[in-house]
Amino acid sequence: MNIGEVAQQSGLPAKTIRYYEDIGLISPQRSENGYRAFRERDLHKLAFIGRARALGFTIEDCRTLLALYQNDHRESGQVKALAEQHLVAIDDKIAQLRSMRATLSHLVHCCAGDHRPDCPILDDLAGSDLHRGDA
Amino acid sequence: MNIGEVAQQSGLPAKTIRYYEDIGLISPQRSENGYRAFRERDLHKLAFIGRARALGFTIEDCRTLLALYQNDHRESGQVKALAEQHLVAIDDKIAQLRSMRATLSHLVHCCAGDHRPDCPILDDLAGSDLHRGDA
DNA sequence: ATGGAGGTTCCAGTAACGGGAAGGTCAAGG
DNA sequence: CCTTGACCTTCCCGTTACTGGAACCTCCAT
């Protein structure tokens, strides 16, 4: 298989596949013409990576997960630990975004959004304490 | 004020403040010795940027917001539009993270996490369809 | 005079690719 | 046989918002 077909089947852009080879995630063979010659195993690996990436794992996590996957003597505890760690990181991000969202949403609702220049959003960013001290 | 004091008062690292000058967000004067000489206005601007960044606005958004803030003829609708757009982006990110979280959390709960190699997480990443087809 | 805490510039690296140039290869068509 | 177009190759730069570090300068206190 050439890279184009692998790209289609894995859903990953050809550029990304080449990048994954660059950083040593995959090592496809080469044809005599210099083209990458992918086998089923490579495709399978790429699909694996694609799914891990879709779950938000970093490339380094993917490297680790691939190694565990290919290691018959792995312990599922290692995988679970990695996944739980990632879960915590996701929760942290969600919490941070929700905090931002709450503040921003409040400000948006306070802003008339008309043709006048008065704007509680800018007031808040400027630290004017006008609405924060309105109690 | 030298950069150290401004860093403390604004809560931004000195490196970041220099970077903000590099990209033209601020333009502090210079003392004869070559040191940056910050005035109150600069500090105020930096605090403004810091707060906008804390709400997740990009640097380019900050540039726009600063310009609006300094423009007496702005219309609050412009600010509100920018904020609402950002709010949508935040919501998108939260939705994506929650989707990841749901899948990952399910997989983690399915995994024994012991010393055996069998691992539903890896099975899922490998696309084995074992648990997805268990209905 | 000297030591240390500040300041300065510039360069490189981060994560994970994407865009685009310059050029080789292959299959089909005239 | 030649060309055209699709596909492949490598290589280098750009992205976001900084961070770390080197090499060097300046100020203040002892």
Side-chain angles (χ1 to χ4, degrees):
Chain A
M1 277 187 292
N2 283 346
I3 200 168
E5 194 183 339
V6 176
Q8 273 212 322
Q9 295 207 24
S10 68
L12 298 171
K15 274 276 189 185
T16 297
I17 297 174
R18 292 196 192 97
Y19 172 67
Y20 287 168
E21 183 185 5
D22 273 355
I23 62 173
L25 276 186
I26 54 169
S27 302
Q29 293 183 323
R30 294 289 178 139
S31 306
E32 288 195 357
N33 58 15
Y35 287 16
R36 288 170 183 80
F38 295 86
R39 289 162 299 175
E40 280 302 322
R41 276 189 40 220
D42 300 312
L43 183 52
H44 191 226
K45 258 191 180 182
L46 286 169
F48 183 102
I49 297 168
R51 274 185 286 263
R53 294 285 298 129
L55 287 181
F57 285 104
T58 66
I59 291 286
E60 284 317 302
D61 284 344
C62 290
R63 201 188 295 278
T64 304
L65 288 169
L66 263 182
L68 288 169
Y69 179 58
Q70 291 167 326
N71 174 10
D72 290 338
H73 303 307
R74 71 181 169 249
E75 303 183 4
S76 67
Q78 302 175 269
V79 183
K80 188 170 182 173
L82 188 56
E84 281 176 333
Q85 195 177 329
H86 182 43
L87 205 48
V88 170
I90 289 177
D91 283 340
D92 287 354
K93 275 188 198 169
I94 291 176
Q96 197 185 354
L97 285 171
R98 290 222 284 209
S99 162
M100 285 180 186
R101 206 216 112 87
T103 304
L104 192 56
S105 173
H106 169 67
L107 290 175
V108 162
H109 283 108
C110 288
C111 177
D114 55 18
H115 295 290
R116 290 170 303 173
D118 315 86
C119 178
I121 302 173
L122 292 180
D123 288 344
D124 182 89
L125 291 176
S128 65
D129 277 336
L130 287 183
H131 85 280
R132 282 189 289 238
D134 67 357
Chain B
M1 278 187 291
N2 283 346
I3 201 169
E5 194 183 339
V6 176
Q8 274 212 321
Q9 295 208 23
S10 68
L12 297 171
K15 274 275 190 186
T16 297
I17 296 173
R18 292 197 192 96
Y19 172 67
Y20 288 167
E21 183 185 4
D22 273 355
I23 62 173
L25 276 186
I26 53 169
S27 303
Q29 294 183 323
R30 295 289 178 139
S31 307
E32 288 195 357
N33 59 14
Y35 287 17
R36 288 170 183 80
F38 297 86
R39 287 161 299 173
E40 279 303 319
R41 276 189 41 221
D42 301 311
L43 182 53
H44 192 226
K45 259 189 178 182
L46 286 169
F48 182 102
I49 297 168
R51 274 185 286 263
R53 294 285 301 129
L55 287 180
F57 285 104
T58 66
I59 291 286
E60 285 317 302
D61 283 344
C62 290
R63 201 189 295 279
T64 304
L65 287 169
L66 263 182
L68 286 169
Y69 179 57
Q70 292 168 325
N71 173 10
D72 290 338
H73 303 306
R74 73 188 167 240
E75 303 183 5
S76 67
Q78 301 174 270
V79 183
K80 188 169 181 173
L82 189 56
E84 280 174 335
Q85 195 177 328
H86 182 43
L87 205 48
V88 170
I90 289 177
D91 283 340
D92 287 353
K93 274 188 199 167
I94 290 176
Q96 197 185 354
L97 285 171
R98 290 222 284 209
S99 161
M100 285 180 186
R101 206 215 112 88
T103 303
L104 193 55
S105 172
H106 169 66
L107 290 175
V108 162
H109 283 108
C110 288
C111 176
D114 56 16
H115 294 290
R116 291 170 302 173
D118 316 86
C119 178
I121 302 174
L122 293 180
D123 288 344
D124 182 89
L125 291 176
S128 65
D129 278 336
L130 287 183
H131 86 280
R132 282 188 289 238
D134 67 356

